[in-house]
Amino acid sequence: MSRAEGKTALRTPALTTSSDGFLLHGEPFRIISGAMHYFRIHPDLWADRLRKARLMGLNTVETYVPWNLHQPDPDSPLVLDGLLDLPRYLSLAREEGLHVLLRPGPYICAEWDGGGLPSWLTTDPDIRLRTSDPRFTDALDRYLDILLPPLLPHMAANGGPVVAVQVENEYGAYGDDTAYLKHVHNALRSRGVEELLFTCDQTGSAQHLAAGSLPGVLSTGTFGGRIEESLRKLREHQPEGPLMCSEFWIGWFDHWGEEHHVRDGANAAADLDLLLAAGASVNIYMFHGGTNFGFTNGANHDQCYAPIVTSYDYDAALTESGDPGPKYHAFREVIARHAPVPDEPAPAPSPKLSGITVELDRRAPLLPWATAHSASAGRTEDPLTMEELGQRSGYVLYRSAFPEPGDGLLHFAGGVGDRAQVFVDGAPVGVLERERHDETLPLRVPRAGATLEVLVENMGGVNYGPRIGAPKGLLGPVTFNGTALHGWDIHRLPLTDLSTVSFAPAGETAHVTVPAFHLGTFDVDTPADTFLSLPGWTKGQAWVNGFHLGRYWNRGPQRTLYVPAPVLRPGANELVLLELNATTAARAHFTDTPDLGPVKP
């Protein structure tokens, strides 16, 4: 007997639909929701952000669920702690009186590394992602087998806050495998999800709406403007039922090297007013964007590879640090015209730390540490990709030797994924980048047996389109003047544990010409939110008290990194930077003002 056949009849969901709207426990209900991803917010701040959602007038919050973090290995137990403690997040939402729209994917996009699909799954070059290919659906089924049991107590049928669950995500923009969508639908139902199911697709394309929908499942739209037209297209596609914009885009995200995207608050508020005046339900994307902490940012690849920055501020109603922005107050006024808003004052900005300077006076070169302390893949005849090494993110150090001296061209067949720094006998000789389609580097080899080192950085997995799962690391053979280089020592650098880094004092004017860790300490009286400013530093990673803030890069637009108050502690604190390039910088600063770069409307 199949799981579905053995399932008892479904109870009536808490949230149902009428000919033109929603009913909650049989009473008319309009969803006024905001997107807020638990995995982009420090868990000690979840309650604060949920309270601010309620105070703006939201009755619901929405979140994706990132498969790649909850199941980092195919046979690993489900990860449900820290930033990933989804049951706790759902409990806090219920305590705040908020309903929840749950979007478990399996694909989430979200400008998230790999769109949420785990790299151990996408490594298979023959797998057909997001289709009824058994290799994909079997992996999905095993994931849902461990994901759903701890979530079922939080479904509305069991007294929890989750009133609706999404089937896939904007699938019509990717494929048209209806059998696959049915599989996802049945997989949720057969594992005990009794709540309302829905799909979402971009309303700009009737084809997308048709390909991403399922009979008997509510279709919702994603759009940021042209409200009347978008609602009309959604109604043409679905003649009866609630009209809902499941992603009302009120801002946008940034790639490195771009300007910072914003959307005029009055314009967004006017469109929200049009939506609500039409009787539609809405999920504001984003109510609160948060941060791509660590190595979690995604990337896009259209004409070229374009990685996304660390901040996911999104020009949202709540800023990256959780302060009400102009949109918060404008949206609160709009919502009050159409639904009850709490009779409480709008929240005030949180206190911020400023005026702290950190002397980073201890250093440790990266490459020697990588050789001595990183996980080694041993010696291979040819380079292996990061996926072949079983590594999801971070860096990989490749080391080989030149058989002969001379001037020539170092060629990387297939390029690099995504940014490679090249060293000869420890001296930097050049950088190759995927976004520039670099494959060749001219250089001089000083002697036979000279050491070649290539440090490759994974800048983030593509999160949208057919290039999801594109490999990282060195992507093919490496040749010098046409002669293949064989015999590679490979060291994995996920940088999840820096406890073995041994720092030594450095002079104030010491000039570091190789990648190195830099350590400094600073004192805090009372922890509060702050922003890390790094003038003079070029590119790398930052940690405060072991918490990985994410990537910095003077390419911009982002110039500061958000530091959540719970990361700090009264008294002594530690800042560690991994700086990849030559630098004379020796100081960092904490400021009370974020700098996300020059604005692009």
Side-chain angles (χ1 to χ4, degrees):
M1 179 182 292
S2 72
R3 184 190 297 264
E5 291 170 338
K7 177 71 179 169
T8 58
L10 295 177
R11 292 173 285 182
T12 301
L15 186 69
T16 56
T17 63
S18 66
S19 61
D20 62 354
F22 289 106
L23 301 173
L24 184 64
H25 302 299
E27 297 297 325
F29 181 72
R30 190 215 300 259
I31 296 172
I32 303 178
S33 174
M36 186 165 57
H37 305 151
Y38 59 96
F39 46 90
R40 282 181 159 130
I41 307 166
H42 193 286
D44 289 354
L45 300 174
W46 288 344
D48 172 79
R49 306 307 193 249
L50 291 164
R51 173 179 171 270
K52 290 170 178 174
R54 179 183 62 81
L55 290 180
M56 196 180 82
L58 303 184
N59 55 31
T60 306
V61 291
E62 170 267 301
T63 185
Y64 282 124
V65 180
W67 183 358
N68 57 355
L69 291 195
H70 282 291
Q71 193 185 24
D73 298 297
D75 300 318
S76 66
L78 191 70
V79 180
L80 284 178
D81 59 1
L83 285 165
L84 298 176
D85 192 349
L86 177 54
R88 176 172 173 258
Y89 180 83
L90 297 176
S91 294
L92 290 171
R94 182 179 182 276
E95 290 173 12
E96 197 60 51
L98 294 167
H99 307 291
V100 175
L101 306 177
L102 194 66
R103 303 171 76 185
Y107 164 76
I108 63 172
C109 185
E111 291 73 58
W112 188 253
D113 182 36
L117 297 179
S119 60
W120 55 261
L121 179 66
T122 60
T123 296
D124 183 348
D126 298 320
I127 196 169
R128 291 182 291 115
L129 300 174
R130 304 175 68 192
T131 72
S132 49
D133 180 349
R135 288 167 295 187
F136 186 77
T137 55
D138 287 353
L140 170 61
D141 288 345
R142 292 193 298 272
Y143 169 56
L144 294 178
D145 281 343
I146 59 174
L147 174 69
L148 291 177
L151 302 186
L152 290 179
H154 300 277
M155 299 291 164
N158 298 310
V162 178
V163 295
V165 178
Q166 184 173 288
V167 177
E168 246 282 349
N169 185 53
E170 290 190 330
Y171 184 70
Y174 182 86
D176 58 1
D177 187 344
T178 302
Y180 163 65
L181 285 182
K182 289 180 179 177
H183 182 97
V184 179
H185 171 278
N186 294 338
L188 294 169
R189 286 287 188 234
S190 66
R191 287 166 176 79
V193 175
E194 301 176 294
E195 308 313 324
L196 178 77
L197 298 182
F198 67 100
T199 60
C200 82
D201 285 282
Q202 300 161 18
T203 56
S205 168
Q207 181 180 356
H208 288 178
L209 280 167
S213 298
L214 276 175
V217 175
L218 176 68
S219 293
T220 68
T222 62
F223 50 89
R226 299 182 177 178
I227 303 303
E228 296 93 339
E229 177 185 349
S230 297
L231 292 177
R232 175 178 56 79
K233 290 182 176 180
L234 186 57
R235 180 55 78 208
E236 289 173 353
H237 167 72
Q238 185 172 252
E240 288 192 350
L243 288 173
M244 178 164 180
C245 178
S246 50
E247 286 188 15
F248 172 49
W249 305 317
I250 65 164
W252 208 243
F253 55 90
D254 299 331
H255 299 110
W256 290 109
E258 294 180 342
E259 294 174 300
H260 173 49
H261 292 76
V262 300
R263 180 180 178 183
D264 178 73
N267 173 272
D271 276 351
L272 177 62
D273 198 26
L274 288 174
L275 263 171
L276 297 179
S281 286
V282 65
N283 177 54
I284 297 166
Y285 195 99
M286 298 289 299
F287 164 70
H288 176 47
T291 308
N292 297 315
F293 292 119
F295 295 118
T296 58
N297 66 279
N300 289 291
H301 197 140
D302 188 5
Q303 299 301 317
C304 66
Y305 174 78
I308 291 163
V309 304
T310 301
S311 171
Y312 200 66
D313 176 85
Y314 212 87
D315 196 32
L318 280 189
T319 66
E320 184 177 11
S321 59
D323 290 336
K327 289 191 179 82
Y328 185 97
H329 301 287
F331 289 177
R332 195 172 192 245
E333 291 181 7
V334 168
I335 292 169
R337 297 177 202 147
H338 303 275
V341 169
D343 186 19
E344 302 174 50
S350 66
K352 305 290 190 299
L353 290 180
S354 186
I356 297 175
T357 296
V358 185
E359 299 285 343
L360 290 115
D361 53 5
R362 283 166 284 173
R363 297 175 184 167
L366 172 69
L367 302 187
W369 174 80
T371 302
H373 296 285
S374 66
S376 173
R379 192 170 182 84
T380 64
E381 185 70 3
D382 294 303
L384 301 177
T385 65
M386 190 175 284
E387 289 73 21
E388 290 170 328
L389 295 167
Q391 184 174 324
R392 183 187 69 83
S393 59
Y395 301 77
V396 174
L397 177 64
Y398 299 84
R399 181 180 287 115
S400 188
F402 293 99
E404 302 292 341
D407 296 335
L409 294 177
L410 187 66
H411 180 69
F412 295 83
V416 300
D418 300 302
R419 185 178 188 269
Q421 293 175 257
V422 182
F423 306 84
V424 175
D425 281 346
V429 296
V431 175
L432 299 97
E433 293 185 341
R434 175 176 240 154
E435 61 187 283
R436 298 194 307 238
H437 307 285
D438 291 336
E439 293 189 2
T440 302
L441 183 68
L443 55 78
R444 169 168 292 179
V445 178
R447 60 181 180 84
T451 300
L452 169 67
E453 291 174 302
V454 185
L455 179 66
V456 183
E457 178 180 4
N458 177 345
M459 290 285 295
V462 171
N463 54 252
Y464 186 85
R467 295 179 185 267
I468 291 175
K472 306 293 185 178
L474 295 186
L475 308 181
V478 180
T479 60
F480 182 64
N481 284 341
T483 300
L485 301 181
H486 297 296
W488 292 84
D489 293 315
I490 305 177
H491 298 271
R492 300 190 298 252
L493 301 172
L495 301 186
T496 54
D497 181 6
L498 304 185
S499 62
T500 59
V501 179
S502 297
F503 290 91
E508 290 185 5
T509 59
H511 188 72
V512 178
T513 59
V514 295
F517 294 104
H518 302 251
L519 170 66
T521 59
F522 60 99
D523 288 330
V524 169
D525 292 330
T526 303
D529 285 348
T530 188
F531 302 91
L532 176 63
S533 177
L534 298 168
W537 303 86
T538 57
K539 189 177 195 303
Q541 308 289 331
W543 293 260
V544 170
N545 295 330
F547 184 89
H548 192 178
L549 300 178
R551 181 179 284 107
Y552 66 87
W553 197 0
N554 66 357
R555 179 176 290 186
Q558 180 176 358
R559 301 288 182 181
T560 57
L561 292 176
Y562 170 55
V563 183
V567 168
L568 300 171
R569 54 194 178 221
N573 293 261
E574 284 191 347
L575 170 66
V576 173
L577 302 181
L578 169 59
E579 170 59 46
L580 297 174
N581 298 321
T583 181
T584 57
R587 296 176 179 85
H589 307 278
F590 290 99
T591 177
D592 58 3
T593 305
D595 183 355
L596 298 180
V599 166
K600 178 179 182 178

